[in-house]
Amino acid sequence: MSLHPADRIVMHVDMDCFFAAVEEREDPSLKGRPVIVGSDPKGGQGRGIVATCNYAARKFGLRSAMPISIAYRRCPSGVYLRPRFSLYTQASRKVMDLLRSAADVFEPAGIDEAYLDVSSRVTFESARDLARELQAGILGKEGLSASVGLGPNKLVAKIASDHRKPGGLTAVIPSRVAEFLDPKGVAILRGVGPKTREFLLSLGYETVAQLRAASREFLFREFGKFGLHLWDEARGIDDRPLDPSWDAKSIGREVTFETDTADAALVGETLLECVAEVHREMVSEGLWCRTLTVKARFSGYETHSKQTTLRLSTGGLAHLESGALSMLEPFLGQGRSLRLVGFSVAKFSPPEDLLPLGAGD
Ligand code: TTP
Ligand code: MG
């Protein structure tokens, strides 16, 4: 196969049931049993959610983000564990280091996924060999399983990594992109959440193949600019370059209250606990951040967030605390009960990259 210079080969790596896989590795007696990482189910009365679960648990219909009470009802015999974030962060860092060293350009995209531009491999055949080596390396050195997708861009690579989980390797060469995407549901496209999916369905577009039949004009009329994006994505077109900065990553914590509460002191205290944990993780990773976000969920699931981007990065606990509390205020002022609060930070830089104070932005 010949590639003209504009062609890219992008790899997407996504770890398989990441938090649960790390827990299984730490305690081999868990092997083969349903393992659920998330809130305390409290015999079915718990109020949080499932962060993730292993494939044995998925057989019972358990999924990420499912209320823990429902998970418990479906699988009372499972092993329910509280998340141990520092363990997952350490494992993530090791996996990322391994991947980074194999990439022309590397973009970490979350705690358990990353994009690698591997265009210098020239052929998909050779990129596939590299993917196998990386999977074997991650398994051998870290005892963890990863799924890999290869494609001409980030969109296709990401969909490909999800194609055969766990432990899968799917390479989609440019001439087969349409064939690969066609049977998939429109929900695999970026920006298509449950509501957009419903709307597309009502227009008669269930699969990518059906969506591809829609004209640009029609999609623009129905969705505005997002419609043009959909038109491109239905064709597997995605020109986004890889972003090697730290921006794609965020660190966050959230807490679901035992009972919904409008008690300002309790909410503030809980938010500060989240801030302290986020700060601890930033310190352990040697990171400063520029974006702070507070999330609040009212009784009944209505969810809001407020975000601030600082002019200069910060690593100071007091700075994070005051930022978080001032963003929380408008949520408390409404006198409504809260179900959950959370805090997260993003736009990281390593402290050594910082300009000395006063040197400008
Ligand atoms: P995912 O890659 O979405 O899920 P996964 O790795 O657990 O499973 P899969 O094999 O399908 O890739 O998310 C990575 C980790 O992020 C996951 O192990 C736990 C965490 N997570 C949450 O804490 N809450 C969530 O709602 C989701 C989706 C993930
Ligand atoms: Mg994953």
Side-chain angles (χ1 to χ4, degrees), residues 14-18 58 112-113 165:
D14 190 297
M15 305 299 293
D16 299 320
C17 47
F18 184 54
R58 292 184 197 193
D112 89 324
E113 58 176 308
K165 257 183 175 289

Side-chain angles (χ1 to χ4, degrees), residues 95-159:
V95 171
M96 296 296 164
D97 286 346
L98 210 142
L99 296 174
R100 185 181 289 109
S101 64
D104 304 336
V105 184
F106 182 71
E107 176 182 331
I111 191 162
D112 89 324
E113 58 176 308
Y115 293 96
L116 289 70
D117 190 309
V118 294
S119 304
S120 65
R121 284 270 159 167
V122 181
T123 66
F124 273 77
E125 223 12 75
S126 159
R128 191 198 269 275
D129 292 342
L130 175 63
R132 283 207 196 89
E133 272 169 41
L134 290 170
Q135 283 177 309
I138 294 171
L139 194 60
K141 295 195 181 113
E142 293 306 315
L144 296 168
S145 156
S147 292
V148 180
L150 286 163
N153 55 45
K154 287 165 74 170
L155 172 76
V156 175
K158 178 156 172 114
I159 298 170

